[in-house]
Amino acid sequence: MMRRAQIKGWGKYLPEKIVTNHDLARFVDTSDEWITERTGIKERRQRGEGETTTSMAVAAAHDALAVAGITPADLNLIIVANSSPDYLLPSPANFIQHALGATCPAFTIAAGCSGWVYGLTTAHQFIQTGAYTNVLVIGVEIISYALDYTDRTTCVLFGDAAAAVVLQPATDGSGVLTFELGSDGSQAHNLWVPGGGTVNPVSQSVVDNREHYIRMNGQEVARFAMRKLLSCLQNITAQAGMTPADLDLIIPHQANLRIIEMAARHLDLPMDKFFVNVHKYANTSAASIPLALVEAIEQGRIKPGDTIGMVAFGSGLSWAGAVMQVGVREPTLASVNGNGHAKVTI
Ligand code: UT7
């Protein structure tokens, strides 16, 4: 039987600091009503004093390793999906590897909100070929550092979080069944940070013009997101000989509840087929899909033998989706402490 990447461990880390829509409305020209109606978001997490991309990733990774029953020394590869690094050089994966005490190779994928699914499919390749056995794939973002809190069209939409998954080979036919990766660079400027790179290096004028912050053409991105959520879901399920209706759970990128509701209407599927936590955490970019996946497992929404579909979309503009079948003998989560740190027996 073919080797496929299967989820064997999972963990998440959420900063304790909660920023509600009402909190934002105190200093930005917005309202809880507007944000709730247009996005479904009620609150988001924001990193606290001393929390870094590395520290959040390591906390999520420790839980994922504990669930899998392995140590950092057992890891063959660490892939980090991230667009909000602690430093521009080296990449966050190197800091995270060192902080974990791992000695394996580590690299970062910068594919915006699609990054973690890019990471999952990359890990799947290494596992399928037999090159690696234990691969840690982390999605982590402190996107708040790149938000312009004078721009109401972006600053209300994002939150900070980390989530991680340990992948190991399954040979019972379960694991990653199909995937689709995509990029449409012609739309790069619809969601970008215009300053701070080689074309427009950090300068006083970059800072004065607030070009070191995220800018988004929301309507264009929403159109793209809608199209890709539907086509990607249809493509990855068709490759698996299924339709979206055959999936037990769909985990869409948590950017906007309205986009998810529109997808459900177009596909004529009930909303309970879709996992939603955007109201609690907003858009956590590369952490969004793994965070939703971890919460779905913790809430018992994913059961042994289930088939799940994940679709992400975001800056690039990029998209990425995968269908996975959960093994029939997968471990279940025994208990979860207050901050969502998994404390498990397998
Ligand atoms: O992870 C990356 C993927 N990102 C996404 O998927 C985001 C996709 N885009 C969206 O989710 C939506 O386009 C937004 C939530 C960003 C915007 O919603 P919209 O319904 O498309 O609003 P809009 O851009 O058409 O703006 C409508 C109005 C405008 O005012 P005028 O020009 O009609 O007077 C905006 O200035 O809403 C205004 N507006 C706001 N008002 C209060 C925009 N942001 C806000 C705000 N509070 N935060």
Side-chain angles (χ1 to χ4, degrees), residues 4-336:
R4 301 178 194 276
Q6 179 58 278
I7 296 168
K8 298 288 183 170
W10 52 85
K12 67 177 198 243
Y13 180 81
L14 292 159
E16 275 179 23
K17 184 175 172 192
I18 294 174
V19 178
T20 66
N21 293 346
H22 294 291
D23 293 334
L24 288 173
R26 274 186 214 112
F27 60 92
V28 193
D29 181 16
T30 189
S31 64
D32 174 52
E33 195 186 5
W34 189 96
I35 302 170
T36 305
E37 190 193 310
R38 302 286 181 128
T39 71
I41 298 165
K42 296 300 284 183
E43 58 187 45
R44 70 286 291 140
R45 300 298 175 102
Q46 198 179 79
R47 64 109 162 242
E49 191 71 30
E51 282 175 323
T52 63
T53 296
T54 301
S55 72
M56 288 177 31
V58 165
H62 274 310
D63 282 355
L65 291 167
V67 175
I70 62 170
T71 69
D74 297 319
L75 287 171
N76 304 119
L77 176 66
I78 300 170
I79 301 176
V80 178
N82 175 262
S83 298
S84 47
D86 287 335
Y87 302 93
L88 285 184
L89 202 72
S91 95
N94 304 100
F95 290 105
I96 292 164
Q97 178 235 21
H98 177 64
L100 271 174
T103 52
C104 63
F107 63 85
T108 302
I109 292 181
C113 307
S114 311
W116 189 85
V117 181
Y118 265 77
L120 168 75
T121 56
T122 304
H124 176 54
Q125 307 310 306
F126 283 111
I127 286 173
Q128 254 194 333
T129 58
Y132 295 139
T133 303
N134 296 318
V135 184
L136 177 67
V137 187
I138 303 171
V140 55
E141 299 285 9
I142 297 185
I143 218 81
S144 59
Y145 101 107
L147 293 177
D148 180 350
Y149 284 96
T150 66
D151 177 6
R152 68 179 183 177
T153 68
T154 51
C155 75
V156 304
L157 301 174
F158 296 92
D160 301 338
V165 158
V166 170
L167 298 163
Q168 290 175 346
T171 51
D172 61 355
S174 71
V176 174
L177 302 184
T178 65
F179 64 88
E180 178 180 277
L181 304 179
S183 163
D184 177 3
S186 72
Q187 296 205 59
H189 298 75
N190 281 329
L191 179 45
W192 69 324
V193 177
T198 59
V199 172
N200 192 16
V202 176
S203 67
Q204 193 56 51
S205 101
V206 164
V207 175
D208 290 345
N209 295 326
R210 311 182 81 76
E211 290 168 340
H212 54 308
Y213 292 128
I214 288 174
R215 292 190 184 171
M216 180 169 72
N217 181 346
Q219 288 196 356
E220 283 302 321
V221 177
R223 264 191 281 278
F224 169 87
M226 198 50 225
R227 262 199 334 269
K228 288 303 171 192
L229 181 50
L230 292 173
S231 66
C232 187
L233 252 182
Q234 272 150 349
N235 293 342
I236 56 179
T237 48
Q239 276 181 57
M242 312 165 69
T243 69
D246 297 323
L247 294 169
D248 295 292
L249 188 68
I250 298 168
I251 300 180
H253 175 44
Q254 306 288 312
N256 187 327
L257 180 62
R258 289 171 83 188
I259 293 173
I260 301 171
E261 286 173 343
M262 275 191 276
R265 271 200 302 279
H266 268 78
L267 295 167
D268 199 18
L269 293 175
M271 268 304 282
D272 63 10
K273 198 51 120 185
F274 292 80
F275 188 83
V276 174
N277 64 5
V278 67
H279 53 292
K280 293 192 288 183
Y281 309 124
N283 180 347
T284 59
S285 190
S288 166
I289 294 266
L291 177 60
L293 177 70
V294 172
E295 287 213 326
I297 296 170
E298 289 172 352
Q299 293 171 17
R301 295 279 304 273
I302 300 176
K303 295 173 292 306
D306 276 2
T307 305
I308 60 172
M310 297 171 270
V311 179
F313 47 83
S315 82
L317 296 180
S318 63
W319 72 96
V323 171
M324 285 194 83
Q325 194 190 355
V326 181
V328 287
R329 290 191 309 276
E330 289 312 308
T332 49
L333 201 63
S335 67
V336 170

